[in-house]
Structures are given as C-alpha cells and as structure tokens.
Amino acid sequence: MTHRILFVCLGNICRSPAAEGVFRTLSPETATDSAGTAGWHAGDPPYGPMRQAAKARGVDLSDLRARQFTAADFDRFDLILGMDDSNIADIEGLRPPGNATPVRLLTDFAPETGADHVPDPYYTRDFDGALDLIEAAAAGLKRHLA
C-alpha cells in the first residue's frame, strides 16, 4: 500500500520540512509533503539553521518550499501529522464535514521520548533537539506503517 503523509507545523520552515525530509530519507517509497497552518512563509525554503542541522545528519531539505495547509489536504493524504497541539487544533478547524483522515501528533510515534510535542526550534534555537525527536518519531512511524 502506498501511503501519503503530510507533516504540519506553524510556518512550514523548521519542524514540518525537517520531518518530511527525515521521513522521505527513511522511507523513500512513501509520498510525503509538509505544510504550515500559517501562510507567512509560503514559497520560502526551510529556515537556514534547520537546513544546516539536517544536512549535518545527511538530510537534504534544499528542494522544499513552504506552503499553507488547506482543507483539500484532508483528501490528498492518508495521515496528517502535527508537531504540537496548536497545530492539531488549527488542522482540525479546517476538517471538512464527514472527513475521516487521521490527524495525530508526530510524537505519538515516539512514546519512548516522553515528548508530547516537537518544540519549535525557530524559537528555542535547539535544532538538534528537534531533529532528535523527529528522527525518533520517523523511525516509529516507519515501524507503524510496516
């Protein structure tokens, strides 16, 4: 079965493109995309420090560009993964009536970390910490989909 997975954060310049990049590296057979609940950065590449931190781990984010999450994404994807509860609330606020596409926190797939969200490194400046959580959750997601 081909899976279509969308990773979502606030601006689509740090956490969600990093999650997309990590997961597509881990599972290239899976169709992935990322989006932000806000459209401020639409068309922009991922934030420079996140690109550099990902590249140091062998994950190339250079081809990604930010876009805003839309209600149509519920029909385009089999699973939508938010980085925190605020993202989940914003995503659910756009859910079309009758749509059943699962929406979950990315960290649901890394219970061993004890994390209930991926902190936003744009504000925390902890790009490696965010990538550690994302990598753990991506590995858990891959196991879940197998």
Side-chain angles (χ1 to χ4, degrees):
M1 175 180 175
T2 301
H3 297 282
R4 298 169 299 157
I5 301 173
L6 179 64
F7 300 92
V8 182
C9 68
L10 178 60
N12 193 211
I13 60 168
C14 286
R15 296 173 292 172
S16 58
E20 179 185 0
V22 166
F23 196 73
R24 72 179 181 183
T25 299
L26 187 63
S27 183
E29 69 280 6
T30 303
T32 59
D33 195 4
S34 60
T37 57
W40 311 305
H41 300 289
D44 291 347
Y47 189 53
M50 179 54 86
R51 283 195 321 267
Q52 292 166 352
K55 186 175 182 179
R57 294 173 185 231
V59 177
D60 183 12
L61 306 179
S62 64
D63 63 323
L64 301 179
R65 295 295 176 268
R67 71 173 186 87
Q68 189 168 10
F69 180 84
T70 69
D73 287 323
F74 282 99
D75 293 326
R76 295 180 51 225
F77 296 93
D78 305 311
L79 177 60
I80 300 171
L81 298 170
M83 301 298 133
D84 61 38
D85 287 336
S86 178
N87 302 148
I88 298 291
D90 290 341
I91 292 164
E92 290 291 357
L94 292 174
R95 182 185 291 278
N99 180 279
T101 302
V103 174
R104 296 181 61 184
L105 285 167
L106 178 64
T107 52
D108 287 352
F109 297 96
E112 72 280 4
T113 67
D116 63 356
H117 71 287
V118 178
D120 191 342
Y122 186 83
Y123 299 104
T124 68
R125 312 311 292 171
D126 186 5
F127 297 96
D128 285 317
L131 282 165
D132 289 344
L133 279 173
I134 289 167
E135 287 177 341
L141 176 60
K142 183 160 175 74
R143 287 190 301 274
H144 173 78
L145 296 176

